[in-house]
Amino acid sequence: QVQLVESGGGLVQAGGSLRLSCVASGRTLSGYPMAWFRQAPGKEREFVARIRWSGVIAYADSVKGRFTISRDNAKNTVYLEMNSLKSEDTAVYYCAADPSEVVLEKGGPGIQYWGQGTQVTVSS
């Protein structure tokens, strides 16, 4: 019913920037908080940032001050602007949506909607 499609990943040098996008199709996710997660090879999925429908934001400490999450509800799109990228930011980045903020921020299988992921590789 709803699909989330991420784009914008790629290869970037340390210190550089990328902007990821996640477009929701099928229906408008009215009122849903949305989030970005990432998963590096051999590691657990990690929470990155969350944004409520209203625009209220939360970040993981590891990205605070470097990444900015935003959304355009009219375009059914959430963004992740990544600046001052480090090699440890290398991961597959996923967007997700769930009506429950508690469920969403756990990052587990209970989340209703996941994107397919987009690879971000930061070279040192």
Side-chain angles (χ1 to χ4, degrees):
Q1 197 101 56
V2 174
Q3 294 182 358
L4 303 179
V5 180
E6 303 99 331
S7 62
L11 176 64
V12 64
Q13 293 186 31
S17 300
L18 284 173
R19 189 192 196 205
L20 308 183
S21 299
C22 174
V23 179
S25 63
R27 67 176 179 88
T28 301
L29 295 177
S30 182
Y32 278 50
M34 296 186 69
W36 288 94
F37 296 84
R38 64 187 183 185
Q39 188 167 22
K43 295 187 177 181
E44 297 294 317
R45 195 190 313 274
E46 177 188 17
F47 170 80
V48 175
R50 179 268 293 151
I51 185 166
R52 295 175 181 168
W53 180 260
S54 64
V56 176
I57 291 165
Y59 294 103
D61 288 342
S62 59
V63 306
K64 195 173 298 181
R66 299 188 298 120
F67 291 12
T68 302
I69 188 171
S70 61
R71 68 192 297 168
D72 186 335
N73 291 336
K75 296 181 179 179
N76 301 314
T77 302
V78 64
Y79 305 96
L80 186 68
E81 297 182 27
M82 304 183 294
N83 301 307
S84 301
L85 283 162
K86 306 173 182 179
S87 59
E88 52 262 47
D89 295 317
T90 295
V92 178
Y93 284 71
Y94 300 90
C95 65
D98 193 276
S100 169
E101 188 172 281
V102 172
V103 170
L104 178 63
E105 294 187 2
K106 288 182 178 179
I111 291 174
Q112 286 191 9
Y113 304 113
W114 284 100
Q116 83 289 349
T118 186
Q119 176 71 48
V120 172
T121 302
V122 183
S123 62
S124 59

Short mmCIF file of all heavy atoms in Angstrom, two decimals, residues 10-18 38-41 43 46 62-63 66-67 82-93 119-124:
data_model
loop_
_atom_site.label_atom_id
_atom_site.label_comp_id
_atom_site.label_asym_id
_atom_site.label_seq_id
_atom_site.Cartn_x
_atom_site.Cartn_y
_atom_site.Cartn_z
N GLY A 10 25.87 7.44 -2.29
CA GLY A 10 26.99 7.40 -3.20
C GLY A 10 28.30 7.39 -2.45
O GLY A 10 28.36 7.15 -1.25
N LEU A 11 29.36 7.66 -3.19
CA LEU A 11 30.71 7.69 -2.65
C LEU A 11 31.14 9.13 -2.46
O LEU A 11 31.01 9.95 -3.38
CB LEU A 11 31.67 6.98 -3.60
CG LEU A 11 33.15 6.99 -3.25
CD1 LEU A 11 33.40 6.23 -1.95
CD2 LEU A 11 33.95 6.38 -4.40
N VAL A 12 31.64 9.44 -1.29
CA VAL A 12 32.06 10.79 -0.98
C VAL A 12 33.31 10.75 -0.11
O VAL A 12 33.50 9.80 0.66
CB VAL A 12 30.93 11.58 -0.29
CG1 VAL A 12 30.59 10.97 1.07
CG2 VAL A 12 31.26 13.05 -0.16
N GLN A 13 34.15 11.74 -0.24
CA GLN A 13 35.34 11.82 0.59
C GLN A 13 35.00 12.31 1.99
O GLN A 13 34.01 13.03 2.20
CB GLN A 13 36.37 12.77 -0.02
CG GLN A 13 36.98 12.29 -1.32
CD GLN A 13 38.08 13.20 -1.81
OE1 GLN A 13 38.79 13.83 -1.03
NE2 GLN A 13 38.25 13.26 -3.11
N ALA A 14 35.80 11.91 2.95
CA ALA A 14 35.62 12.40 4.31
C ALA A 14 35.60 13.92 4.32
O ALA A 14 36.39 14.57 3.64
CB ALA A 14 36.73 11.87 5.21
N GLY A 15 34.68 14.47 5.08
CA GLY A 15 34.49 15.91 5.12
C GLY A 15 33.46 16.42 4.14
O GLY A 15 33.05 17.58 4.24
N GLY A 16 33.05 15.58 3.23
CA GLY A 16 32.09 15.97 2.23
C GLY A 16 30.66 15.85 2.70
O GLY A 16 30.39 15.55 3.87
N SER A 17 29.74 16.04 1.77
CA SER A 17 28.32 16.07 2.10
C SER A 17 27.52 15.26 1.10
O SER A 17 27.90 15.11 -0.07
CB SER A 17 27.80 17.51 2.08
OG SER A 17 28.46 18.32 3.03
N LEU A 18 26.40 14.75 1.56
CA LEU A 18 25.41 14.10 0.72
C LEU A 18 24.03 14.46 1.25
O LEU A 18 23.86 14.73 2.43
CB LEU A 18 25.55 12.58 0.74
CG LEU A 18 26.69 11.93 -0.05
CD1 LEU A 18 26.73 10.44 0.25
CD2 LEU A 18 26.52 12.17 -1.54
N ARG A 38 20.67 3.42 9.86
CA ARG A 38 21.78 2.97 9.03
C ARG A 38 22.31 1.65 9.57
O ARG A 38 22.17 1.34 10.74
CB ARG A 38 22.90 4.01 8.96
CG ARG A 38 23.59 4.30 10.28
CD ARG A 38 24.54 5.47 10.12
NE ARG A 38 25.28 5.74 11.34
CZ ARG A 38 26.10 6.77 11.50
NH1 ARG A 38 26.29 7.64 10.50
NH2 ARG A 38 26.73 6.94 12.65
N GLN A 39 22.92 0.90 8.68
CA GLN A 39 23.50 -0.37 9.06
C GLN A 39 24.80 -0.58 8.30
O GLN A 39 24.80 -0.65 7.08
CB GLN A 39 22.53 -1.53 8.79
CG GLN A 39 23.01 -2.85 9.35
CD GLN A 39 21.92 -3.91 9.35
OE1 GLN A 39 20.96 -3.83 8.60
NE2 GLN A 39 22.07 -4.90 10.22
N ALA A 40 25.87 -0.67 9.05
CA ALA A 40 27.16 -0.96 8.48
C ALA A 40 27.36 -2.48 8.45
O ALA A 40 26.74 -3.21 9.23
CB ALA A 40 28.26 -0.30 9.31
N PRO A 41 28.23 -2.97 7.57
CA PRO A 41 28.45 -4.42 7.49
C PRO A 41 28.87 -5.00 8.84
O PRO A 41 29.76 -4.48 9.51
CB PRO A 41 29.58 -4.54 6.47
CG PRO A 41 29.44 -3.33 5.61
CD PRO A 41 29.00 -2.24 6.54
N LYS A 43 27.30 -4.98 11.59
CA LYS A 43 26.81 -4.25 12.74
C LYS A 43 25.28 -4.22 12.78
O LYS A 43 24.62 -4.47 11.79
CB LYS A 43 27.36 -2.81 12.74
CG LYS A 43 28.86 -2.73 12.91
CD LYS A 43 29.31 -1.29 13.08
CE LYS A 43 30.80 -1.21 13.33
NZ LYS A 43 31.25 0.20 13.51
N GLU A 46 21.25 0.97 13.27
CA GLU A 46 21.44 2.07 14.20
C GLU A 46 20.48 3.21 13.87
O GLU A 46 20.36 3.63 12.72
CB GLU A 46 22.89 2.57 14.10
CG GLU A 46 23.21 3.78 14.95
CD GLU A 46 24.59 4.34 14.67
OE1 GLU A 46 25.17 4.01 13.62
OE2 GLU A 46 25.10 5.12 15.50
N SER A 62 25.70 10.47 17.68
CA SER A 62 26.79 10.30 16.74
C SER A 62 26.69 11.21 15.52
O SER A 62 27.69 11.44 14.85
CB SER A 62 26.86 8.83 16.28
OG SER A 62 25.65 8.44 15.67
N VAL A 63 25.50 11.71 15.24
CA VAL A 63 25.32 12.55 14.06
C VAL A 63 24.88 13.97 14.40
O VAL A 63 24.81 14.82 13.50
CB VAL A 63 24.32 11.93 13.07
CG1 VAL A 63 24.74 10.51 12.71
CG2 VAL A 63 22.90 11.95 13.62
N ARG A 66 25.93 17.40 12.68
CA ARG A 66 26.44 17.15 11.34
C ARG A 66 25.33 16.82 10.34
O ARG A 66 25.43 17.18 9.18
CB ARG A 66 27.44 15.99 11.35
CG ARG A 66 28.68 16.26 12.21
CD ARG A 66 29.73 15.17 12.01
NE ARG A 66 29.23 13.85 12.42
CZ ARG A 66 29.13 12.80 11.62
NH1 ARG A 66 29.50 12.89 10.34
NH2 ARG A 66 28.68 11.64 12.08
N PHE A 67 24.30 16.13 10.81
CA PHE A 67 23.20 15.71 9.95
C PHE A 67 21.96 16.54 10.27
O PHE A 67 21.74 16.95 11.41
CB PHE A 67 22.85 14.24 10.17
CG PHE A 67 23.88 13.25 9.69
CD1 PHE A 67 25.15 13.62 9.31
CD2 PHE A 67 23.54 11.90 9.64
CE1 PHE A 67 26.09 12.70 8.89
CE2 PHE A 67 24.47 10.96 9.21
CZ PHE A 67 25.74 11.36 8.83
N MET A 82 23.60 15.30 5.13
CA MET A 82 24.74 14.79 5.86
C MET A 82 25.96 15.63 5.52
O MET A 82 26.37 15.70 4.36
CB MET A 82 24.99 13.32 5.52
CG MET A 82 23.77 12.44 5.76
SD MET A 82 24.11 10.68 5.45
CE MET A 82 24.43 10.74 3.68
N ASN A 83 26.52 16.26 6.51
CA ASN A 83 27.70 17.10 6.35
C ASN A 83 28.84 16.57 7.20
O ASN A 83 28.64 15.80 8.13
CB ASN A 83 27.38 18.54 6.75
CG ASN A 83 26.26 19.15 5.94
OD1 ASN A 83 26.30 19.15 4.71
ND2 ASN A 83 25.25 19.68 6.62
N SER A 84 30.04 17.04 6.89
CA SER A 84 31.23 16.63 7.63
C SER A 84 31.30 15.12 7.78
O SER A 84 31.53 14.59 8.87
CB SER A 84 31.27 17.31 9.00
OG SER A 84 31.27 18.72 8.86
N LEU A 85 31.10 14.43 6.69
CA LEU A 85 31.01 12.97 6.74
C LEU A 85 32.34 12.35 7.15
O LEU A 85 33.41 12.83 6.78
CB LEU A 85 30.57 12.43 5.39
CG LEU A 85 29.07 12.59 5.12
CD1 LEU A 85 28.77 12.45 3.64
CD2 LEU A 85 28.27 11.57 5.93
N LYS A 86 32.22 11.27 7.91
CA LYS A 86 33.36 10.52 8.41
C LYS A 86 33.29 9.10 7.87
O LYS A 86 32.23 8.62 7.48
CB LYS A 86 33.34 10.48 9.93
CG LYS A 86 33.26 11.84 10.60
CD LYS A 86 33.07 11.69 12.10
CE LYS A 86 32.94 13.03 12.79
NZ LYS A 86 32.73 12.88 14.25
N SER A 87 34.42 8.42 7.90
CA SER A 87 34.44 7.05 7.42
C SER A 87 33.47 6.17 8.20
O SER A 87 32.88 5.24 7.63
CB SER A 87 35.85 6.47 7.48
OG SER A 87 36.35 6.48 8.80
N GLU A 88 33.27 6.46 9.46
CA GLU A 88 32.35 5.66 10.26
C GLU A 88 30.89 5.88 9.92
O GLU A 88 30.01 5.18 10.44
CB GLU A 88 32.58 5.90 11.76
CG GLU A 88 32.58 7.35 12.17
CD GLU A 88 33.98 7.93 12.30
OE1 GLU A 88 34.81 7.72 11.40
OE2 GLU A 88 34.25 8.61 13.33
N ASP A 89 30.60 6.85 9.05
CA ASP A 89 29.25 7.04 8.55
C ASP A 89 28.91 6.08 7.41
O ASP A 89 27.76 6.04 6.97
CB ASP A 89 29.04 8.47 8.08
CG ASP A 89 29.15 9.49 9.20
OD1 ASP A 89 28.61 9.24 10.30
OD2 ASP A 89 29.76 10.55 8.97
N THR A 90 29.89 5.36 6.93
CA THR A 90 29.66 4.41 5.85
C THR A 90 28.66 3.35 6.28
O THR A 90 28.85 2.67 7.29
CB THR A 90 30.98 3.75 5.42
OG1 THR A 90 31.85 4.74 4.86
CG2 THR A 90 30.74 2.67 4.38
N ALA A 91 27.60 3.21 5.52
CA ALA A 91 26.53 2.28 5.86
C ALA A 91 25.47 2.32 4.77
O ALA A 91 25.48 3.20 3.91
CB ALA A 91 25.89 2.64 7.21
N VAL A 92 24.56 1.37 4.84
CA VAL A 92 23.33 1.47 4.08
C VAL A 92 22.34 2.27 4.92
O VAL A 92 22.11 1.94 6.09
CB VAL A 92 22.75 0.10 3.73
CG1 VAL A 92 21.43 0.25 2.98
CG2 VAL A 92 23.74 -0.69 2.88
N TYR A 93 21.77 3.28 4.34
CA TYR A 93 20.83 4.14 5.03
C TYR A 93 19.41 3.81 4.61
O TYR A 93 19.11 3.71 3.42
CB TYR A 93 21.14 5.61 4.74
CG TYR A 93 22.33 6.12 5.51
CD1 TYR A 93 23.61 5.69 5.19
CD2 TYR A 93 22.17 7.01 6.58
CE1 TYR A 93 24.71 6.12 5.91
CE2 TYR A 93 23.27 7.45 7.30
CZ TYR A 93 24.54 7.01 6.96
OH TYR A 93 25.62 7.45 7.68
N GLN A 119 23.13 3.12 -0.36
CA GLN A 119 24.48 2.96 0.16
C GLN A 119 25.18 4.31 0.24
O GLN A 119 25.20 5.07 -0.73
CB GLN A 119 25.29 2.02 -0.73
CG GLN A 119 26.76 1.86 -0.32
CD GLN A 119 26.93 1.07 0.96
OE1 GLN A 119 26.34 0.00 1.12
NE2 GLN A 119 27.73 1.61 1.89
N VAL A 120 25.78 4.58 1.38
CA VAL A 120 26.65 5.74 1.56
C VAL A 120 28.03 5.22 1.92
O VAL A 120 28.19 4.49 2.89
CB VAL A 120 26.13 6.67 2.66
CG1 VAL A 120 27.15 7.77 2.96
CG2 VAL A 120 24.80 7.28 2.25
N THR A 121 29.01 5.59 1.13
CA THR A 121 30.38 5.19 1.37
C THR A 121 31.25 6.44 1.49
O THR A 121 31.27 7.27 0.58
CB THR A 121 30.91 4.30 0.24
OG1 THR A 121 30.07 3.15 0.11
CG2 THR A 121 32.34 3.84 0.54
N VAL A 122 31.94 6.54 2.60
CA VAL A 122 32.80 7.70 2.86
C VAL A 122 34.24 7.22 2.86
O VAL A 122 34.62 6.37 3.67
CB VAL A 122 32.46 8.36 4.20
CG1 VAL A 122 33.32 9.60 4.41
CG2 VAL A 122 30.98 8.71 4.26
N SER A 123 35.03 7.75 1.97
CA SER A 123 36.43 7.38 1.86
C SER A 123 37.28 8.31 2.71
O SER A 123 37.02 9.52 2.80
CB SER A 123 36.89 7.42 0.41
OG SER A 123 36.78 8.72 -0.14
N SER A 124 38.30 7.75 3.32
CA SER A 124 39.18 8.52 4.19
C SER A 124 40.38 9.06 3.43
O SER A 124 40.63 8.70 2.28
CB SER A 124 39.64 7.68 5.37
OG SER A 124 40.32 6.52 4.93
#
